[in-house]
Amino acid sequence: MNQQLATHSKEHIKGIIYVAVASILWSTAGLFIKWVQWPPLAIAGIRSGIAGTVILFYWLYKYKIMPPLPSIQKSFGALNYAVLVMLFIFANKLTTAANAILLQFSAPIWVLILGAIFLKEPIRRKDLMTVFLVLAGMSLFFLGDLGTGSMLGNGLAVLSGVAMAIMVISLKGVKAGSPLEIIFWGNVATFIIGIPFYGQITFEMMSMIGIFLLGVFQLGTAYIFYANGIQHVTALDGILITVLEPLLNPMWVFLFNGEQPTVFAVLGGAVVLSSVTYHSLKTEIKV
């Protein structure tokens, strides 16, 4: 029994680390996207095409066969992934970037609700307190950057949070190996949706470097880590840890552009990081 618990604890810690690594890689999006002077949907499509290729090579290396055609359940997850990508891009175009990020990361609330319904994960007092602290910390973090934006843009940002929650639930609801399958087909769908915009692509060196880094590392490698980690953490942890992504974006800007974060940003970040760390390390995964 003790050996089983020890093994389970190691898998849990590994899951936390993998999801955290994915979040760190995702956080480079803002930096690399600025290098790519293409229409947003062209960026999304080509980035997903490259990411899907990375995931395909990883799948062939690990499983020695092509990814199977998705079932109805997995097709739903893959299409939801594509919708998530598109919603967030349009939200960023129609409202402020801070609004888009903050409203998308209402996702932990939806994960709590959907996880209880579909995964039978109980809603505990600690979960509710952590979600409240994370939302409060993120509000502090973006204090001063928030704007009114448009009602449509803000609404799409909230919907992207719902889509993010559905993605986490979809990945948790399938057996080992299958989460990456959903992500692979989601990238294929996103690539196909972007086809009408590829005629507007230019081939400047910085754009090509940026899209390569976005596809290989920021999306492809990141989702390989996330798919391998999500099976070993709760759905709520699987979304709370990803809050690292918006928190780390300003760090890259500070390192490369010298823009210093505000006191409120540092305080909000500290609240979020401490809350997520406490919740993740104290969560018990049941076998």
Side-chain angles (χ1 to χ4, degrees):
M1 182 67 177
N2 289 336
Q3 184 178 1
Q4 184 183 30
L5 289 174
T7 301
H8 210 197
S9 179
K10 288 180 181 178
E11 291 297 313
H12 183 209
I13 296 297
K14 184 172 75 172
I16 291 172
I17 292 171
Y18 280 10
V19 173
V21 169
S23 302
I24 292 169
L25 291 171
W26 286 332
S27 73
T28 61
L31 180 66
F32 295 144
I33 283 175
K34 291 181 180 179
W35 297 1
V36 186
Q37 302 303 310
W38 298 349
L41 290 180
I43 294 174
I46 296 297
R47 180 183 67 160
S48 283
I50 296 171
T53 303
V54 171
I55 292 169
L56 176 61
F57 278 119
Y58 174 81
W59 183 281
L60 292 173
Y61 172 78
K62 186 171 183 179
Y63 298 107
K64 314 301 180 186
I65 58 172
M66 289 291 291
L69 292 175
S71 63
I72 293 177
Q73 178 190 3
K74 293 171 187 173
S75 296
F76 173 78
L79 288 174
N80 178 75
Y81 171 95
V83 169
L84 167 61
V85 173
M86 301 302 170
L87 279 173
F88 189 62
I89 288 174
F90 280 113
N92 271 278
K93 297 292 286 184
L94 295 172
T95 188
T96 64
N99 279 11
I101 293 172
L102 188 61
L103 292 171
Q104 185 188 54
F105 275 89
S106 62
I109 298 172
W110 308 115
V111 167
L112 270 180
I113 297 170
L114 296 176
I117 295 172
F118 295 105
L119 300 179
K120 309 304 179 184
E121 292 184 354
I123 299 177
R124 299 162 298 184
R125 184 180 300 175
K126 181 180 71 173
D127 298 333
L128 293 172
M129 182 59 68
T130 301
V131 169
F132 172 78
L133 289 173
V134 165
L135 295 179
M138 289 190 69
S139 298
L140 276 176
F141 188 83
F142 291 108
L143 192 66
D145 294 327
L146 296 175
T148 55
S150 73
M151 288 297 293
L152 177 59
N154 291 339
L156 292 177
V158 172
L159 288 177
S160 74
V162 177
M164 181 183 286
I166 293 173
M167 182 192 72
V168 174
I169 299 300
S170 298
L171 297 183
K172 279 289 295 178
V174 298
K175 64 182 180 180
S178 294
L180 198 59
E181 185 183 330
I182 290 175
I183 293 164
F184 169 74
W185 289 111
N187 278 300
V188 171
T190 307
F191 176 78
I192 293 171
I193 292 170
I195 287 175
F197 302 91
Y198 298 157
Q200 304 174 49
I201 287 175
T202 55
F203 295 93
E204 299 92 352
M205 181 62 71
M206 287 304 294
S207 292
M208 299 306 293
I209 293 173
I211 199 67
F212 174 81
L213 294 174
L214 283 168
V216 173
F217 298 105
Q218 189 270 331
L219 203 65
T221 304
Y223 266 111
I224 289 172
F225 274 103
Y226 191 78
N228 284 317
I230 190 65
Q231 291 292 308
H232 305 296
V233 298
T234 65
L236 184 59
D237 277 329
I239 196 67
L240 286 176
I241 299 169
T242 64
V243 176
L244 287 171
E245 177 191 349
L247 297 185
L248 288 173
N249 262 298
M251 184 189 76
W252 302 122
V253 174
F254 170 69
L255 290 176
F256 290 94
N257 295 336
E259 296 179 18
Q260 294 189 357
T262 66
V263 173
F264 284 113
V266 173
L267 179 60
V271 171
V272 171
L273 289 175
S274 58
S275 301
V276 171
T277 300
Y278 174 78
H279 186 276
S280 298
L281 295 180
K282 289 294 183 180
T283 298
E284 297 180 3
I285 308 297
K286 297 182 179 180
V287 286

